[in-house]
Amino acid sequence: MLDVLIAAAAGLGAASFLLVGAAIGWFARVPANVVAGIMAFGAGALISTLAFELVLEAHKTGGLGATLGGFLLGAIIFVIADLLLARQGARARKRSIALQSEPGIHAHPAARASTTVGLAVAVGALLDGVPESLVLGLSLAEGGVVSLPILVAVAVSNLPEGLGSAAGMRHEGRSARYVFGVWGGIVLASGIAAALGFALLANAPVEVIAAVTTVAAGGILAMVANTMIPEAFAADRSLTGLWAALGFALSFALTQLG
């Protein structure tokens, strides 16, 4: 029971950065290049984490077949779900404040056309966050402790998402009560996902854990490629690569030191 609570606390802690970002996005106007830098840094950290903490470890314990199968399945699931959400205006869920805050730059056309884009954005954030929270719980199941590189990477990547999406909802005219209620629910769901990641798979065969881990990893990589890097690059083309490299380096260092 204690381990389940630890997993839930890790998921809640990492997801709480969504609320931190939402508060910043609601009360302040953050320059686009700052948001882009944080997003690129988080993207690099996630790429390093999924490569060395998830895929490589899954291959060691579960074998190549389970690893590749799960990884590709996760990517396919995310891309299909992301495509469906994009039709509801959630494609730009990570950049709404970054681009709207700059003079002369307008919201995504779908965002202007749909009055449900705020909810689509929130569902998109849930789609992004559940695999990340799940692997936090899995890291506890596999290693006996929550992985620090995964925790840091998820927390950093959540900050700009909460910032951008909350400000996008404000742009729609949503109330603070609505915005923070939605994001609070996503944080709670992330904690539950982390707890389930541990509770359901703590005693599962290594092949099953490897497959589930890599499903999450495939979804995370597809999310980074589809949303985080393009949105960061759209807002700041000069330093995106450097920030991503720094995030990768930090995550890799934490992996090796840990």
Side-chain angles (χ1 to χ4, degrees):
M1 184 62 182
L2 179 61
D3 286 338
V4 173
L5 293 177
I6 292 173
L12 289 170
S16 68
F17 279 76
L18 287 167
L19 279 177
V20 173
I24 296 172
W26 185 265
F27 294 108
R29 178 166 291 187
V30 182
N33 62 332
V34 173
V35 180
I38 298 172
M39 191 173 297
F41 186 91
L46 283 173
I47 290 172
S48 177
T49 297
L50 69 89
F52 297 105
E53 285 281 311
L54 304 182
V55 176
L56 183 61
E57 292 303 315
H59 174 248
K60 289 179 180 178
T61 58
L64 184 61
T67 299
L68 291 180
F71 187 80
L72 293 175
L73 177 61
I76 292 169
I77 291 172
F78 178 88
V79 168
I80 292 174
D82 189 51
L83 179 62
L84 295 175
L85 284 168
R87 294 177 179 175
Q88 301 300 319
R91 171 68 73 188
R93 59 184 175 271
K94 295 180 184 292
R95 69 172 173 176
S96 48
I97 181 59
L99 298 187
Q100 289 168 12
S101 63
E102 294 299 304
I105 300 179
H106 305 288
H108 189 279
R112 295 196 299 270
S114 174
T115 58
T116 62
V117 64
L119 186 58
V121 161
V123 175
L126 190 61
L127 173 68
D128 299 341
V130 167
E132 296 171 345
S133 300
L134 185 64
V135 296
L136 279 170
L138 286 172
S139 71
L140 179 62
E142 284 186 296
V145 293
V146 174
S147 168
L148 181 60
I150 297 175
L151 185 64
V152 171
V154 172
V156 172
S157 67
N158 279 338
L159 184 64
E161 181 164 11
L163 191 159
S165 297
M169 292 181 188
R170 183 183 65 179
H171 183 74
E172 285 187 331
R174 303 286 188 178
S175 67
R177 183 175 182 178
Y178 174 88
V179 170
F180 290 101
V182 167
W183 286 105
I186 292 173
V187 171
L188 180 61
S190 297
I192 293 172
L196 288 175
F198 175 83
L200 298 180
L201 296 167
N203 298 312
V206 291
E207 293 82 5
V208 173
I209 293 178
V212 174
T213 298
T214 50
V215 166
I220 292 170
L221 182 59
M223 180 269 291
V224 170
N226 271 19
T227 60
M228 293 185 73
I229 291 178
E231 307 300 5
F233 186 74
D236 184 2
R237 300 191 177 193
S238 301
L239 298 176
T240 297
L242 176 60
W243 284 118
L246 289 172
F248 186 100
L250 174 62
S251 184
F252 178 73
L254 290 174
T255 299
Q256 299 306 305
L257 294 174

